[in-house]
């Protein structure tokens, strides 16, 4: 599909369909959903309807994106590197060309987690638990684009998007399989099998390589960062990028530790402890080491964080999950940040914006941020570390053209995410920027859930 410049009206049309499409995709990411407040079959059906709508629209106009087919890694099955249902892992790959033929972007998809057998069974027969249920093509846009106009620094790299089907950010490794459920907890094996397959396809000759991911995949890029570095050639420049993967161990609006218990169950169910840094697990429980704030200080490989300070997933599922908001007081606020009351905004300022404080060590922020100052000091201001923390209500900003690089994309210090990441990777300059508090940033593409 050829790409062309889009008018404002057309982008509004695309944006509206993308919002609908994203709602159903992100429903998989919801902890509320994981605990039974959703219907997998209905979501899957609605998702397919949205795919059809996008397809019909693409027949009428050229959009700044293109489709890439799915590759099944059948050879991984013999290694036990399989999805929850035992099917082969899969990825989408657009090969590099020209000067980028030896450069590799390996991006891991997100999609929440399952923390026990019941919840993993609910995922097993969906695209998040079985490659048999995955769509056979994926739209490549934003950081995946193959045109310099839309992706100046990485357009000619080998760009790979690994599909998510293990439910534990590619960290699980349990040998036993219960014949009653046929659940396979093998995410760590999938990670290694994919990397080994790519090495055999040319990544063993890499000049540049980057491990990246969004949401639960962004957590993968943090937890597996040094492991990725160890598997690549010693003379290659290797770095990591986490988009919306900096999940914080925050209490809910009623003061309970909802996400802490959930992560502990994920690690226990999937046997993830063996993948986590021993430097961390020797000091605290493995469940706590699933949180980036406790792991990032031990990462030796250069890493870049992209995160919305008012991350929509974290607001909905860590700060104000359904179990902490049974009366629905936060419902409208979670759907649209412009509908938050002044009291709710004050809580957001203290609970989520404060995650950025220790990254610069010099900001004054409303609310109680002492907990985060103590917890996140591990992400220091070393030049090898970069950050783009904007005050938007969003979740994942690298894989969509409108937020990666467009004439109206989010900016910090007049710099788009695409330029910030490129400058950091190629060491044209450092980038460690934190936005001013909401609602000061008029470049945000804030999520509205309908």
């Amino acid at each position: 599909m050829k790409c062309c410049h889009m008018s404002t009206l057309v982008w509004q049309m695309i944006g509206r369909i993308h919002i609908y499409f994203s709602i159903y995709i992100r429903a998989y990411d919801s902890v509320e959903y994981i605990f039974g407040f959703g219907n997998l079959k209905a979501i899957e059906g609605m998702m397919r309807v949205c795919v059809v709508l996008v397809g019909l629209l693409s027949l009428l106009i050229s959009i700044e994106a293109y489709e890439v087919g799915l590759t099944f890694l059948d050879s991984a099955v013999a290694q036990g590197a399989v999805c929850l249902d035992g099917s082969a892992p899969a990825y989408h790959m657009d090969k590099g060309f020209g000067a980028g033929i030896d450069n590799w972007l390996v991006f891991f998809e997100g999609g929440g987690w399952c923390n026990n057998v019941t919840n993993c069974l609910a995922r097993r027969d969906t695209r998040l638990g079985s490659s048999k249920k995955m769509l056979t093509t994926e739209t490549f846009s934003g950081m995946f684009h193959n045109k310099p106009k839309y992706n100046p620094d990485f357009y000619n790299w080998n760009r790979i998007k690994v599909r998510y089907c293990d439910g534990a950010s590619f960290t699980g490794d349990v040998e036993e399989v219960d014949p009653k459920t046929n659940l396979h907890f093998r995410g760590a094996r999938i990670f290694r099998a994919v990397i080994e397959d790519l090495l055999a396809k040319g990544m063993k000759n890499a000049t540049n390589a980057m491990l990246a991911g969004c949401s639960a995949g962004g957590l993968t890029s943090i937890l597996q960062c040094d492991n990725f570095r160890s598997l690549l050639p010693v003379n290659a420049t290797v770095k990591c990028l986490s988009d919306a993967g900096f999940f914080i161990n925050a209490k809910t609006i009623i003061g309970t530790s909802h996400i802490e218990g959930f992560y502990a169950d994920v690690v226990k169910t999937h046997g993830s402890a063996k993948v986590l840094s021993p430097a961390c697990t020797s000091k605290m429980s493995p469940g706590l080491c699933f949180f980036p704030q406790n792991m990032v200080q031990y990462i030796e490989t250069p890493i870049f964080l992209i995160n919305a300070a008012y991350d929509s997933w974290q607001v909905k599922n860590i700060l104000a999950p359904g179990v902490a908001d049974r009366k629905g007081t936060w419902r409208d606020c979670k759907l649209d940040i412009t509908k938050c009351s002044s009291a709710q905004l004050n809580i957001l300022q203290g609970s989520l914006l404060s995650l950025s404080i220790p990254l610069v060590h010099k900001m004054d922020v409303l609310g109680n941020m002492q907990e985060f100052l103590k917890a996140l000091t591990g992400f220091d201001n070393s030049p090898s570390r970069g950050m783009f923390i904007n005050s938007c209500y969003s979740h994942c900003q690298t894989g969509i053209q409108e937020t990666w690089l467009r004439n109206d994309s989010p900016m910090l210090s007049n710099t788009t995410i695409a330029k910030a990441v490129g400058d950091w990777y190629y060491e044209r300059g450092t980038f460690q920027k934190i936005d001013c508090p909401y609602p000061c940033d008029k470049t945000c593409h804030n999520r509205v859930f309908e």
Side-chain angles (χ1 to χ4, degrees):
M1 182 182 295
K2 295 182 179 179
C3 299
C4 64
H5 178 71
M6 305 293 291
S7 69
T8 301
L9 178 60
V10 168
W11 271 114
Q12 288 175 347
M13 294 168 62
I14 291 290
R16 177 60 60 183
I17 290 180
H18 175 261
I19 288 172
Y20 293 145
F21 184 61
S22 298
I23 290 172
Y24 298 111
I25 291 290
R26 299 305 179 213
Y28 285 112
D29 288 356
S30 174
V31 170
E32 294 175 329
Y33 162 73
I34 287 171
F35 280 105
F37 297 101
N39 186 305
L40 269 173
K41 301 299 183 183
I43 293 171
E44 191 82 57
M46 294 301 293
M47 183 183 74
R48 292 181 184 278
V49 170
C50 289
V51 170
V52 172
L53 290 175
V54 173
L56 290 174
L57 184 58
S58 68
L59 294 175
L60 301 176
I61 55 177
S62 294
I63 61 175
E64 296 169 350
Y66 60 100
E67 298 298 308
V68 175
L70 187 64
T71 297
F72 293 95
L73 189 52
D74 294 320
S75 61
V77 176
Q79 306 170 38
V82 293
C83 300
L84 285 173
D85 72 334
S87 59
Y91 60 78
H92 304 268
M93 178 176 177
D94 193 17
K95 293 183 178 180
F97 55 92
I101 197 168
D102 289 326
N103 300 335
W104 296 74
L105 169 66
V106 185
F107 190 102
F108 283 78
E109 183 185 32
W113 310 269
C114 58
N115 68 324
N116 57 41
V117 169
T118 299
N119 294 329
C120 290
L121 279 173
R123 292 170 69 102
R124 186 192 63 189
D125 299 322
T126 74
R127 69 175 186 87
L128 289 174
S130 173
S131 61
K132 299 175 183 177
K133 302 294 183 178
M134 294 175 183
L135 298 178
T136 56
T137 61
E138 176 75 355
T139 301
F140 269 30
S141 183
M143 193 177 193
F144 302 100
H145 212 291
N146 63 359
K147 296 292 189 296
K149 175 181 178 180
Y150 307 115
N151 187 23
D153 287 305
F154 310 105
Y155 73 96
N156 58 357
W157 286 34
N158 295 280
R159 284 147 287 111
I160 297 95
K161 184 172 185 179
V162 183
R163 301 302 298 268
Y164 185 36
C165 65
D166 74 285
S169 291
F170 298 91
T171 63
D173 191 4
V174 177
E175 179 65 30
E176 298 78 14
V177 177
D178 186 341
K180 296 179 181 179
T181 62
N182 194 39
L183 284 173
H184 298 71
F185 302 117
R186 305 283 181 77
R189 297 191 193 185
I190 292 176
F191 181 88
R192 189 172 187 92
V194 167
I195 300 305
E196 289 179 347
D197 183 65
L198 295 177
L199 288 170
K201 290 180 176 177
M203 196 165 66
K204 65 179 181 296
N205 301 315
T207 300
N208 295 291
M210 179 155 55
L211 173 66
C214 155
S215 192
L219 180 58
T220 300
S221 66
I222 293 174
L223 300 179
Q224 295 274 23
C225 183
D226 285 340
N227 184 28
F228 181 70
R229 162 68 275 188
S230 71
L231 297 172
L232 272 289
V234 294
N235 59 341
T237 298
V238 180
K239 301 186 179 185
C240 303
L241 180 145
S242 173
D243 179 9
F246 206 91
F247 297 95
I248 58 177
N249 187 10
K251 294 186 182 301
T252 68
I253 53 175
I254 60 173
T256 54
S257 298
H258 177 69
I259 191 65
E260 182 176 315
F262 183 83
Y263 268 9
D265 289 341
V266 170
V267 170
K268 181 179 179 180
T269 298
H270 291 263
S272 302
K274 65 187 74 172
V275 175
L276 304 175
S277 170
C280 181
T281 56
S282 65
K283 295 179 175 63
M284 61 186 70
S285 69
L288 291 176
C289 291
F290 212 63
F291 287 99
Q293 65 196 71
N294 297 325
M295 280 287 289
V296 73
Q297 61 185 303
Y298 303 112
I299 297 175
E300 298 178 357
T301 308
I303 187 168
F304 195 104
L305 300 180
I306 300 169
N307 232 97
Y310 305 84
D311 185 284
S312 58
W313 192 96
Q314 297 198 48
V315 171
K316 293 188 295 178
N317 299 293
I318 294 180
L319 181 65
V323 293
D325 183 36
R326 297 190 183 279
K327 294 184 178 180
T329 305
W330 279 72
R331 181 183 180 279
D332 291 342
C333 178
K334 291 190 290 184
L335 293 176
D336 183 348
I337 194 171
T338 64
K339 296 181 180 179
C340 295
S341 68
S342 58
Q344 289 169 332
L345 284 176
N346 283 339
I347 293 174
L348 293 181
Q349 302 283 26
S351 295
L352 294 176
L353 183 59
S354 58
L355 75 85
S356 65
I357 301 302
L359 306 183
V360 289
H361 311 294
K362 294 182 179 179
M363 285 187 66
D364 292 323
V365 176
L366 300 174
N368 179 18
M369 45 76 170
Q370 294 303 315
E371 177 182 355
F372 294 92
L373 277 169
K374 180 179 179 181
L376 299 180
T377 51
F379 198 92
D380 56 39
N381 56 3
S382 165
S384 70
R385 299 194 166 196
M387 68 202 79
F388 189 106
I389 310 295
N390 54 8
S391 60
C392 305
Y393 189 65
S394 62
H395 186 68
C396 294
Q397 301 179 80
T398 56
I400 306 170
Q401 200 63 50
E402 64 181 277
T403 47
W404 174 248
L405 179 62
R406 213 175 66 188
N407 58 7
D408 63 342
S409 293
M411 301 180 78
L412 287 180
S413 298
N414 294 315
T415 304
T416 61
I417 294 174
K419 188 175 190 308
V421 173
D423 286 349
W424 163 79
Y425 186 89
Y426 283 109
E427 299 180 3
R428 297 188 294 251
T430 59
F431 196 93
Q432 300 176 345
K433 302 295 183 182
I434 311 298
D435 213 349
C436 48
Y438 175 87
C440 73
D441 191 338
K442 305 306 179 185
T443 70
C444 284
H445 288 229
N446 291 323
R447 295 281 298 277
V448 176
F449 301 86
E450 299 179 2

